[in-house]
């Protein structure tokens, strides 16, 4: 892994300091000194940090360690990352709604003005979107924000208009029917034992 981390960092055009700062935005604590040590092979990455870095760079753990040239992270890498994740919030419904609508991460990202990487991080629960992003996601996916967040399990379309008048009329009619039944019951002769 001596040159892989350095190669990936340089591909993004980042210095060690810039990478450290950017990783902190993703709740990955790695100092510039530690990055230098990892790049030079002086220190080994802990499995959790390795999984977080691999996910950040969107490569497989094997690729980051230099064992493979395959760039894409595998399903096993994703599952490992989620199982070892620091406070994962992957119970959101963004992925469910995106795939149900037949959208790619790139498509959804373009619709709301963020990159594919951000959509991936939102879906995996790695990064929690700001409120404005939640609203844009809800509008793009025609859903309710709380449903996308996994807070409520019910699905409400974003632009649905709830017709309360019909419900209120039914409720009033039911109340009237109950009152009528009570009145009729009071008029019935009472049996004596």
């Amino acid at each position: 892994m001596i040159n892989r981390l350095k190669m990936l960092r340089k591909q993004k055009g980042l210095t060690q300091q810039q990478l450290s700062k950017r990783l902190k935005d993703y709740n990955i604590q790695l100092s510039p000194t530690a990055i230098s040590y990892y790049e030079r092979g002086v220190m080994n990455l802990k499995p959790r940090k390795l999984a977080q870095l691999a996910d950040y760079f969107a490569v497989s753990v094997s690729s980051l360690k230099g064992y493979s040239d395959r760039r894409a992270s595998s399903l096993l890498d994703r599952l490992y990352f989620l199982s070892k994740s620091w406070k994962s919030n992957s119970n959101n419904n963004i992925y469910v709604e995106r795939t149900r609508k037949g959208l790619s991460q790139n498509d959804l990202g373009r619709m709301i003005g963020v990159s594919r990487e951000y959509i991936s991080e939102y879906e995996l629960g790695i990064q929690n979107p700001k409120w404005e992003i939640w609203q844009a996601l809800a509008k793009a996916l025609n859903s309710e924000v709380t449903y996308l967040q996994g807070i409520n399990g019910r699905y409400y379309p974003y632009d649905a208009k709830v017709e309360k008048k019909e419900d209120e009329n039914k409720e009033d009619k039911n109340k009237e029917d109950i009152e009528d039944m009570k009145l009729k019951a009071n008029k019935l002769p009472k049996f004596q034992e």
Side-chain angles (χ1 to χ4, degrees), residues 13-184:
L14 300 171
T15 65
Q16 291 171 344
Q17 290 79 13
Q18 291 168 330
L19 176 60
S20 176
K21 184 176 168 114
R22 189 134 334 145
L23 290 173
K24 283 180 186 170
D25 294 339
Y26 293 88
N27 292 329
I28 303 170
Q29 302 300 318
L30 206 56
S31 70
T33 304
I35 291 170
S36 173
Y37 287 160
Y38 295 147
E39 286 181 353
R40 292 182 290 136
V42 174
M43 293 174 66
N44 291 324
L45 289 170
K46 292 182 180 179
R48 185 170 136 205
K49 293 283 186 205
L50 186 64
Q52 289 174 332
L53 280 173
D55 196 65
Y56 172 77
F57 285 109
V59 298
S60 67
V61 172
S62 297
S63 176
L64 184 60
K65 290 175 83 173
Y67 299 148
S68 164
D69 289 332
R70 192 172 56 78
R71 293 279 317 233
S73 57
S74 69
L75 178 60
L76 290 176
D77 290 332
R78 296 274 182 197
L79 292 174
Y80 175 80
F81 181 76
L82 287 174
S83 69
K84 303 295 182 193
S85 180
W86 38 262
K87 295 185 179 177
S88 175
N89 182 25
S90 59
N91 61 339
N92 70 54
N93 293 313
I94 299 169
Y95 171 81
V96 172
E97 285 303 302
R98 178 181 61 79
T99 55
R100 194 169 76 76
K101 302 259 190 264
L103 297 171
S104 70
Q105 289 178 336
N106 279 329
D107 294 337
L108 182 57
R110 271 188 246 118
M111 289 171 75
I112 67 168
V114 299
S115 69
R116 180 205 62 81
E117 289 82 9
Y118 279 117
I119 298 296
S120 176
E121 289 169 3
Y122 299 155
E123 288 178 352
L124 291 170
I126 296 168
Q127 184 167 318
N128 194 21
K130 293 179 182 175
W131 179 247
E132 296 80 27
I133 299 293
W134 279 118
Q135 289 176 318
L137 285 166
K139 188 170 186 175
L141 296 172
N142 196 28
S143 298
E144 187 178 88
V145 171
T146 55
Y147 169 74
L148 291 176
Q149 292 173 327
I151 294 171
N152 88 29
R154 291 191 262 169
Y155 174 77
Y156 295 110
Y158 179 81
D159 58 356
K161 292 183 177 142
V162 179
E163 295 295 329
K164 289 186 177 180
K165 233 177 192 176
E166 285 181 27
D167 293 338
E168 288 171 3
N169 289 341
K170 286 179 186 177
E171 195 174 302
D172 290 343
K173 178 75 173 142
N174 288 341
K175 284 181 184 177
E176 289 173 10
D177 290 344
I178 291 170
E179 290 299 320
D180 285 344
M181 284 197 249
K182 284 180 184 177
L183 287 172
K184 288 178 185 176

